[in-house]
Amino acid sequence: MDNGEPRWLDESELDAWKAFSALLIKLPGALNAQLQQDAGLTNFEYLVLAGLSEAPERTMRMSMLAVLANGSLSRLSHVVTRLEKRGYLRREPCPDDGRYTNAVLTEDGHRQVVEAAPGHVNNVRSLVVDVLEPEQLRQLGEISARLLHAMDPDFPCPDTR
C-alpha cells in the first residue's frame, strides 16, 4: 500500500547503491582521462567517431548518432562542431531527405579513431572486462540493459526467464 512515504533502502540495498553510484562517477572520469591523455579526445567524442567509423560509408544521420552516443542532439551538435574544426568529420545534407543532416567521418577522423582505439580498449579491459569473471560480465550486460530499459523503454530488455 502506497501511503506516500518513501520505501527506504535497507543496509544491503544502500551498500549496493553507494558502490554503483561511485562507479557512475568514477568510470567516466577514468575513461575520459585516458582518452584525453592518449588521443586528445573525450569519451563522448570517441563514441561519436567510433560510431561513424562503423557506419556504412562512415556516414550517419545526426539524430541516429545522438542515440548511438547516448547524448542529446544539442550536445552532439556542440561536439560535432568541435570535431569539424579539427577536421575529423563534416556535416552534409542527407541525400534521401534534405530535412536531415548527416555526419560524415573524414580520413583524418578515421585515422584518429583507429589510433585511439587500442588504448581505449586496453583501458576498458583493465577497468571493467578483465576484472570480472565471464559470468559476472554476462550479468553486468544483462543488468545494464535492464536498467537502461527502465530509463528508456525502447532499449531492449534481456529475457531473464
Side-chain angles (χ1 to χ4, degrees), residues 76-96:
L76 177 66
S77 183
H78 289 295
V79 167
V80 165
T81 297
R82 283 199 313 265
L83 293 172
E84 274 182 309
K85 288 178 183 174
R86 295 166 77 180
Y88 294 157
L89 56 80
R90 68 181 180 277
R91 286 183 247 213
E92 44 186 58
C94 177
D96 299 330

Side-chain angles (χ1 to χ4, degrees), residues 25-68:
I25 293 167
K26 289 182 178 271
L27 185 59
L31 294 171
N32 274 321
Q34 177 274 320
L35 281 165
Q36 281 286 349
Q37 180 179 338
D38 294 354
L41 296 170
T42 66
N43 190 50
F44 190 77
E45 290 169 335
Y46 177 82
L47 289 173
V48 168
L49 295 177
L52 285 171
S53 75
E54 295 172 358
E57 299 178 35
R58 299 181 187 157
T59 301
M60 191 179 298
R61 278 188 182 169
M62 291 281 288
S63 55
M64 293 303 299
L65 189 55
V67 170
L68 179 72

Side-chain angles (χ1 to χ4, degrees), residues 73-132:
L73 199 50
S74 173
R75 180 180 183 201
L76 177 66
S77 183
H78 289 295
V79 167
V80 165
T81 297
R82 283 199 313 265
L83 293 172
E84 274 182 309
K85 288 178 183 174
R86 295 166 77 180
Y88 294 157
L89 56 80
R90 68 181 180 277
R91 286 183 247 213
E92 44 186 58
C94 177
D96 299 330
D97 188 336
R99 296 174 297 171
Y100 295 100
T101 301
N102 286 341
V104 181
L105 189 67
T106 64
E107 284 303 316
D108 284 347
H110 186 256
R111 194 170 19 263
Q112 178 68 15
V113 76
V114 166
E115 289 174 8
H120 177 66
V121 169
N122 286 338
N123 198 31
V124 168
R125 282 198 159 282
S126 70
L127 295 173
V128 180
V129 176
D130 293 344
V131 177
L132 301 174

